[in-house]
Amino acid sequence: MTNSEINIIWKKFHNSLLFFIQKRIKKKEDANDILQEVFVKIAQSSIDTTSVEKLTSWVYTIARNCIIDYWRSNKTDLEKISSLEFDPAQIVEYSNKTEVTSLTGCVKKMIKHLPEKYSTVFILYETKKLNHKQIAEKLNISVSGSKTRLQRAREKLRELLVSCCKVESDIYGNVLNSCSEEENCKNCN
């Protein structure tokens, strides 16, 4: 792989890979070491960088394997290792931070349009970071009721978002473009 190809991959994936690794490795120094190891392996390999889909999957597979190697070398519980599934939808591309911020603002405003029983569970789960058991106890509902309400809240938010905002995403779920503050969205105001 040429130096220019490695530089392109570094610019494209550095921030999102570091975020991906730091979610799984708590020590900042170790996460940075793993990131460097990923790029060493990338530099030592050869892949056709013209296919973005294959490149992204390949890069994150290398990162996942490096994290697993780290856990194995530190004798981490094998259950943790097996739970590390790569989900391309979790990739956060920082180049589109403005669109994500705009979209987050819209979603926050749309929550007030949800029925109270759904908005309450959504806020407790997503904002207050309570688990379903805690929500069930707090609201005097069942755990499955909490899960159902959260699912319905997400569905209703998705419907509201799609009905008024133009949201474009790539095949991995990264937001490429979204409604802006200037647009007069009935649900965002």
Side-chain angles (χ1 to χ4, degrees), residues 42-140:
I42 289 170
Q44 293 172 344
S45 302
S46 62
I47 188 172
D48 178 17
T49 58
T50 58
S51 174
V52 176
E53 293 173 26
K54 288 180 184 176
L55 177 65
T56 302
S57 178
W58 178 70
V59 166
Y60 278 88
T61 298
I62 291 173
R64 178 182 174 272
N65 291 337
C66 288
I67 293 167
I68 290 171
D69 291 344
Y70 168 84
W71 280 343
R72 283 184 181 144
S73 70
N74 290 305
K75 297 183 178 22
T76 302
D77 187 3
L78 290 177
E79 285 182 27
K80 274 189 174 179
I81 294 172
S82 64
S83 71
L84 181 64
E85 293 300 321
F86 169 63
D87 180 4
Q90 293 178 342
I91 300 171
V92 176
E93 293 291 345
Y94 288 89
S95 60
N96 298 320
K97 206 170 195 174
T98 306
E99 286 80 10
V100 172
T101 302
S102 171
L103 195 57
T104 302
C106 267
V107 171
K108 285 180 180 177
K109 292 174 185 174
M110 287 178 183
I111 292 171
K112 68 182 178 189
H113 295 284
L114 293 176
E116 186 178 350
K117 66 181 184 177
Y118 299 142
S119 64
T120 303
V121 171
F122 185 85
I123 290 168
L124 290 173
Y125 188 84
E126 295 293 345
T127 306
K128 305 291 184 191
K129 302 298 182 196
L130 297 180
N131 63 38
H132 287 292
K133 183 178 179 185
Q134 293 168 321
I135 294 169
E137 289 170 1
K138 186 174 184 92
L139 300 178
N140 199 25

